């Protein structure tokens, strides 16, 4: 009997109107769809519209719409990919706000980071900040990462990689993520 698929959750960390990094999330979902034994799900923070965090999940009654579902998706995931833009040498406040609703849900969860910038550095500053936060939260942050520079030139609106080098980079990162998630699940 085939084993249950590994559940990989892709979180889009941008809620900006006219955003571009959702193209990268679409691309990651497309690459995940090519993998056997993987069931991918997308959590788009732009579609959830979480209010400013006043208390963590489990301590707010009633919880804001979408929060319980997001928490269940994170908790149920065998692995997570966070796609985050870089804003002012950091990652977006909306993403930090979402992360702060949670803590135990990330424990021992393999997390891969994909950072996105309009400039040439690929969001390395956002990456450094996310590593700090996620390690504190107990996630196993993957050393393999993908930094997308000049997203406007690198990805088309439908998520196609204009620069095909991203196919190899993302596939390599996902292979490591799926390997680790499989080991941890077993
Ligand atoms: C508020 C803000 C701050 C930004 N700061 C940086 C930055 O520090 N470094 C950089 O390379 N790009 C920066 N950019 C460009 C973004 O990385 C680029 O617009 C990218 O597309 C952001 O993802 P998004 O389109 O999903 O919002 C900034 C953009 C915004 C809106």
């Amino acid at each position: 009997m085939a084993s249950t698929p590994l559940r990989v959750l892709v979180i889009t960390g941008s809620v900006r109107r006219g955003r571009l990094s959702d193209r990268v999330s679409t691309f990651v979902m497309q690459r995940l769809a090519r993998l056997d034994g993987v069931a991918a799900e997308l959590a788009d923070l732009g579609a959830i519209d979480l209010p400013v965090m006043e208390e963590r999940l489990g301590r707010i009654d009633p919880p804001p719409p979408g929060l319980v579902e997001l928490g269940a998706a994170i908790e149920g995931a065998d692995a997570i990919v966070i796609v985050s833009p870089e804003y002012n040498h950091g990652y977006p406040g909306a993403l930090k706000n979402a992360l702060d609703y949670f803590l135990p849900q990330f424990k021992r969860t393999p997390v891969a980071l994909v950072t996105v910038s309009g400039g040439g550095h690929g969001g390395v500053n956002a990456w450094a900040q996310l590593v700090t936060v996620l390690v504190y939260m107990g996630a196993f942050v993957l050393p393999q990462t993908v930094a997308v520079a000049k997203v406007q030139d690198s990805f088309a609106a439908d998520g196609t990689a204009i620069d095909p080098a991203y196919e190899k980079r993302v596939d390599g990162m996902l292979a490591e993520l799926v390997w680790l998630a499989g080991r941890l699940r077993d």
Side-chain angles (χ1 to χ4, degrees):
M1 194 175 76
S3 60
T4 322
L6 280 169
R7 293 159 300 181
V8 180
L9 180 70
V10 178
I11 298 176
T12 299
S14 171
V15 304
R16 189 176 68 85
R17 292 177 198 180
R19 65 190 178 175
L20 298 175
S21 60
D22 59 330
R23 299 178 177 189
V24 182
S25 300
T26 303
F27 178 71
V28 172
M29 289 295 289
Q30 289 168 358
R31 302 313 286 187
L32 282 166
R34 298 162 59 98
L35 301 179
D36 289 333
V38 169
E41 185 186 348
L42 183 68
D44 179 359
L45 296 187
I48 301 175
D49 199 19
L50 291 172
V52 171
M53 197 280 305
E54 294 177 348
E55 253 307 354
R56 285 179 186 162
L57 176 62
R59 299 183 190 190
I60 345 161
D61 190 18
L67 183 67
V68 171
E69 292 78 5
L70 178 61
I74 293 168
E75 196 156 10
D78 296 302
I80 295 174
V81 181
I82 297 179
V83 179
S84 172
E86 177 161 305
Y87 292 163
N88 296 329
H89 280 199
Y91 64 95
L95 177 55
K96 181 71 163 74
N97 186 57
L99 291 174
D100 287 345
Y101 277 105
F102 307 110
L103 182 66
Q105 292 82 0
F106 276 89
K107 191 175 178 189
R108 294 182 181 156
T109 304
V111 176
L113 297 176
V114 178
T115 51
V116 179
S117 76
H121 298 296
V124 291
N125 301 292
W127 176 86
Q129 293 185 359
L130 279 164
V131 170
T132 302
V133 169
L134 289 161
V135 166
Y136 171 78
M137 295 176 80
F140 295 148
V141 182
L142 209 67
Q144 291 79 12
T145 187
V146 174
V148 176
K150 299 187 177 168
V151 60
Q152 62 281 1
D153 301 329
S154 303
F155 285 89
D158 66 356
T160 306
I162 297 166
D163 180 349
Y166 285 108
E167 293 174 3
K168 201 172 168 187
R169 290 175 196 154
V170 168
D171 289 351
M173 184 197 71
L174 292 177
E176 293 299 316
L177 184 71
V178 167
W179 178 87
L180 179 59
R183 284 296 176 107
L184 286 170
R185 193 176 69 170
D186 296 342

